[in-house]
Amino acid sequence: MSAILNRRSVPQHLLTLDHRPSSTGIVHLGLGNFHRAHQAVYTAQAGDWGILGVASRSATVADALNAQDGLYSVLELSPEGSSVTVPGVHTGAIVAAHDPAAVVAAIAAEDTRIVSLTVTEHGYCMDPSSHRLALDHPGIVADLNSPAPVTVIGQVSRALELRATTHGRPLTVLNCDNMQSNGTQTRALILEFLRAANSPAADWVADQITFPNSMVDRIVPATTDAYRAAAYELLGVDDRITVPAEPFTMWVMEDRFAAGRPAWERAGAVFTDDVEAYELIKLRLLNGTHSLIAYLGALDGRATIPEARAQDFIEYAAGAVLQDEYLPSITLPNGFDVEAYVESLFQRWSNDALGHRTQQVGTDGSVKLPQRVPLPALRLLDQGVMPEHLALTVAAWLCCVVPMPGFDPGPHAHAMVDPARDRLGALADGKPQELVRKACAQVFPTQLAQSNEFVQRVAEYVAVIRTDGVRAAARQAARSRTPHQPPAPPAA
Ligand code: CS2
């Protein structure tokens, strides 16, 4: 049996932080692959800031991380080659579902200066129509009456309350999920929770706690045995929890930290007040287009994003949704080279050494698409233009996760996990028009769900995918496309 990765067996030259961190300044909720290939990598390069990792439910990563002395490897993969590093920045790991009170205590500890979050879009318990806290969410209902909260919003809120009533030290809550205005939204959700709980700490939180907005970016697939074997080749020891990642990485955030922060700029993080523009660029051009590639790809039998993107009809649809429908909805920061950015996106989606799966990007569409599709779609609808490829995105998603009777979307679509799958599945027996109308009402903000023309167009694409296949639907969208006209230059 080969040796396990730990402080004794790790090849020292691969360690980013060469000593065990002396204290825990950051409590991080969401110990998935993304955090471990992104924020943890930046933190390891930024000095002596330890991270306590909190897994939400599964003990797999937390147990392995503890057994490996807080170590794991990041396996960087590209067609040019592969390499591995070991950040070495975690001081331990716990599982929230096993011990919610320990999570509250860790966030409330005096030494904790930042609580950061990658709990995915559905970890925030938002009402899809209003984007406010879902006060009827069973977890929120329970947390409003319990000292051992089960939701992330409940855990952070109760911990802030505890800080307020004990040592009173400020803290930063840093959302690192793909949500628009992620810091501002988190602040609103936490204040809503505290006010609904009649907590006297609400005003203290509003004053003392900062919630910087941030944009995070790195493509990070799920770990498989093939990645573990590749990491073993480079490490010479076994790492049960290696994280595969692309070489590209980007992090842009507001510099509003109430109790200090690591020098993340040493690792290339950018601090700016103009985060919203970067968030929109990332959420729409990358994530929005990614969703379309994933759903079209899965319906076309493609296992990975690079295989999907290599199909001419998908490359065309990706270019169309990006150029005609997402890009015009964004005001670019001064000096931003959008052509180079778009070219780099297509290159990143072509990384076949990474093999990012369509199933992974297609997972959780009911909570990802509301962050990506509605505002750009409404903007065009207001101008009298039908956003054909956004309608196709929604139709392809529905065909993947709520296939109508007699339609088999294939194995990659079946493998997509979606919190709304069962709820929406009950709608599959009706006509496409009914299915789409009810599904949009459950998932999207009211304004989009009530756009009859949009709902009608999505339903048409659902019907075409079902009877003639995804390629026929993409051909129809290409024929109906309204290419974006850049605004005319002002008259001299
Ligand atoms: C993807 C993202 O799964 C998805 O929806 O679009 O996880 C994407 O890979 C990352 O945001 C890249 O930074």
mmCIF file of all heavy atoms in Angstrom, residues 178 216-219 282 287 290 356 360-361 368 372, ligand 1:
data_model
loop_
_atom_site.group_PDB
_atom_site.id
_atom_site.type_symbol
_atom_site.label_atom_id
_atom_site.label_comp_id
_atom_site.label_asym_id
_atom_site.label_seq_id
_atom_site.Cartn_x
_atom_site.Cartn_y
_atom_site.Cartn_z
ATOM 1 N N ASN A 178 -21.270 32.245 -7.283
ATOM 2 C CA ASN A 178 -21.600 32.913 -8.543
ATOM 3 C C ASN A 178 -22.981 33.545 -8.472
ATOM 4 O O ASN A 178 -23.946 33.050 -9.057
ATOM 5 C CB ASN A 178 -21.617 31.898 -9.692
ATOM 6 C CG ASN A 178 -20.232 31.451 -10.058
ATOM 7 O OD1 ASN A 178 -19.286 32.239 -10.083
ATOM 8 N ND2 ASN A 178 -20.091 30.156 -10.346
ATOM 9 N N VAL A 216 -15.526 35.448 -8.521
ATOM 10 C CA VAL A 216 -14.556 34.347 -8.439
ATOM 11 C C VAL A 216 -14.558 33.585 -9.758
ATOM 12 O O VAL A 216 -15.602 33.449 -10.394
ATOM 13 C CB VAL A 216 -14.935 33.367 -7.308
ATOM 14 C CG1 VAL A 216 -14.808 34.033 -5.952
ATOM 15 C CG2 VAL A 216 -16.336 32.816 -7.488
ATOM 16 N N ASP A 217 -13.413 33.088 -10.176
ATOM 17 C CA ASP A 217 -13.383 32.370 -11.449
ATOM 18 C C ASP A 217 -12.257 31.345 -11.521
ATOM 19 O O ASP A 217 -11.079 31.700 -11.436
ATOM 20 C CB ASP A 217 -13.220 33.385 -12.605
ATOM 21 C CG ASP A 217 -13.483 32.745 -13.965
ATOM 22 O OD1 ASP A 217 -13.870 31.557 -13.993
ATOM 23 O OD2 ASP A 217 -13.318 33.444 -14.992
ATOM 24 N N ARG A 218 -12.612 30.114 -11.648
ATOM 25 C CA ARG A 218 -11.694 29.037 -12.016
ATOM 26 C C ARG A 218 -12.550 27.809 -12.324
ATOM 27 O O ARG A 218 -13.459 27.489 -11.536
ATOM 28 C CB ARG A 218 -10.725 28.722 -10.862
ATOM 29 C CG ARG A 218 -9.601 27.811 -11.310
ATOM 30 C CD ARG A 218 -8.476 27.680 -10.293
ATOM 31 N NE ARG A 218 -7.285 27.190 -10.973
ATOM 32 C CZ ARG A 218 -6.176 26.813 -10.373
ATOM 33 N NH1 ARG A 218 -6.072 26.879 -9.060
ATOM 34 N NH2 ARG A 218 -5.140 26.373 -11.074
ATOM 35 N N ILE A 219 -12.275 27.150 -13.421
ATOM 36 C CA ILE A 219 -13.057 25.947 -13.757
ATOM 37 C C ILE A 219 -12.459 24.768 -12.990
ATOM 38 O O ILE A 219 -11.269 24.463 -13.125
ATOM 39 C CB ILE A 219 -13.078 25.711 -15.280
ATOM 40 C CG1 ILE A 219 -13.846 26.854 -15.957
ATOM 41 C CG2 ILE A 219 -13.707 24.357 -15.602
ATOM 42 C CD1 ILE A 219 -13.904 26.769 -17.482
ATOM 43 N N LYS A 282 -18.573 37.849 -15.753
ATOM 44 C CA LYS A 282 -18.349 36.442 -15.417
ATOM 45 C C LYS A 282 -19.651 35.642 -15.430
ATOM 46 O O LYS A 282 -19.755 34.584 -16.046
ATOM 47 C CB LYS A 282 -17.671 36.393 -14.037
ATOM 48 C CG LYS A 282 -17.771 35.104 -13.278
ATOM 49 C CD LYS A 282 -16.846 34.085 -13.857
ATOM 50 C CE LYS A 282 -17.114 32.646 -13.471
ATOM 51 N NZ LYS A 282 -17.567 32.323 -12.175
ATOM 52 N N ASN A 287 -20.601 32.045 -17.249
ATOM 53 C CA ASN A 287 -21.538 31.069 -16.688
ATOM 54 C C ASN A 287 -22.780 30.888 -17.565
ATOM 55 O O ASN A 287 -23.241 29.756 -17.761
ATOM 56 C CB ASN A 287 -21.955 31.475 -15.269
ATOM 57 C CG ASN A 287 -20.793 31.474 -14.291
ATOM 58 O OD1 ASN A 287 -20.493 32.481 -13.669
ATOM 59 N ND2 ASN A 287 -20.115 30.365 -14.140
ATOM 60 N N HIS A 290 -21.861 28.972 -20.590
ATOM 61 C CA HIS A 290 -21.525 27.619 -20.128
ATOM 62 C C HIS A 290 -22.782 26.754 -20.000
ATOM 63 O O HIS A 290 -22.791 25.584 -20.374
ATOM 64 C CB HIS A 290 -20.893 27.768 -18.731
ATOM 65 C CG HIS A 290 -19.698 26.917 -18.476
ATOM 66 N ND1 HIS A 290 -19.076 26.888 -17.268
ATOM 67 C CD2 HIS A 290 -19.003 26.063 -19.256
ATOM 68 C CE1 HIS A 290 -18.056 26.067 -17.303
ATOM 69 N NE2 HIS A 290 -17.990 25.554 -18.503
ATOM 70 N N HIS A 356 -14.026 18.799 -18.133
ATOM 71 C CA HIS A 356 -15.137 19.261 -17.300
ATOM 72 C C HIS A 356 -16.439 18.686 -17.852
ATOM 73 O O HIS A 356 -16.724 18.774 -19.033
ATOM 74 C CB HIS A 356 -15.154 20.795 -17.388
ATOM 75 C CG HIS A 356 -15.932 21.470 -16.328
ATOM 76 N ND1 HIS A 356 -16.358 22.770 -16.466
ATOM 77 C CD2 HIS A 356 -16.356 21.072 -15.113
ATOM 78 C CE1 HIS A 356 -17.017 23.133 -15.381
ATOM 79 N NE2 HIS A 356 -17.024 22.129 -14.551
ATOM 80 N N GLN A 360 -21.929 18.243 -14.795
ATOM 81 C CA GLN A 360 -21.597 19.100 -13.640
ATOM 82 C C GLN A 360 -22.104 20.529 -13.866
ATOM 83 O O GLN A 360 -22.683 21.157 -12.986
ATOM 84 C CB GLN A 360 -20.084 19.092 -13.395
ATOM 85 C CG GLN A 360 -19.716 19.885 -12.156
ATOM 86 C CD GLN A 360 -18.241 19.773 -11.775
ATOM 87 O OE1 GLN A 360 -17.507 18.942 -12.298
ATOM 88 N NE2 GLN A 360 -17.806 20.629 -10.866
ATOM 89 N N VAL A 361 -21.887 21.051 -15.069
ATOM 90 C CA VAL A 361 -22.323 22.435 -15.332
ATOM 91 C C VAL A 361 -23.857 22.491 -15.387
ATOM 92 O O VAL A 361 -24.472 23.476 -14.981
ATOM 93 C CB VAL A 361 -21.680 22.965 -16.631
ATOM 94 C CG1 VAL A 361 -22.154 24.381 -16.933
ATOM 95 C CG2 VAL A 361 -20.153 22.938 -16.515
ATOM 96 N N LYS A 368 -29.161 28.104 -10.746
ATOM 97 C CA LYS A 368 -28.111 28.838 -11.470
ATOM 98 C C LYS A 368 -28.724 29.759 -12.536
ATOM 99 O O LYS A 368 -28.335 30.921 -12.668
ATOM 100 C CB LYS A 368 -27.159 27.863 -12.182
ATOM 101 C CG LYS A 368 -26.212 27.094 -11.268
ATOM 102 C CD LYS A 368 -25.428 26.086 -12.106
ATOM 103 C CE LYS A 368 -24.403 25.325 -11.301
ATOM 104 N NZ LYS A 368 -23.775 24.239 -12.094
ATOM 105 N N ARG A 372 -28.459 34.031 -14.169
ATOM 106 C CA ARG A 372 -27.809 34.249 -15.455
ATOM 107 C C ARG A 372 -28.761 34.813 -16.516
ATOM 108 O O ARG A 372 -28.409 35.730 -17.247
ATOM 109 C CB ARG A 372 -27.195 32.905 -15.943
ATOM 110 C CG ARG A 372 -26.270 32.302 -14.884
ATOM 111 C CD ARG A 372 -25.669 30.936 -15.220
ATOM 112 N NE ARG A 372 -24.899 30.461 -14.054
ATOM 113 C CZ ARG A 372 -24.131 29.391 -13.998
ATOM 114 N NH1 ARG A 372 -24.013 28.599 -15.066
ATOM 115 N NH2 ARG A 372 -23.474 29.064 -12.900
HETATM 116 C C1 CS2 B 1 -20.156 26.645 -14.181
HETATM 117 C C2 CS2 B 1 -19.239 27.227 -13.126
HETATM 118 O O1 CS2 B 1 -21.133 24.836 -13.070
HETATM 119 C C3 CS2 B 1 -21.328 25.936 -13.579
HETATM 120 O O2 CS2 B 1 -22.429 26.434 -13.645
HETATM 121 O O3 CS2 B 1 -20.557 27.635 -15.067
HETATM 122 O O4 CS2 B 1 -19.024 26.358 -12.051
HETATM 123 C C4 CS2 B 1 -17.901 27.665 -13.738
HETATM 124 O O5 CS2 B 1 -17.127 26.553 -14.122
HETATM 125 C C5 CS2 B 1 -17.127 28.479 -12.747
HETATM 126 O O6 CS2 B 1 -17.930 29.535 -12.292
HETATM 127 C C6 CS2 B 1 -15.854 29.029 -13.387
HETATM 128 O O7 CS2 B 1 -15.323 30.001 -12.579
#
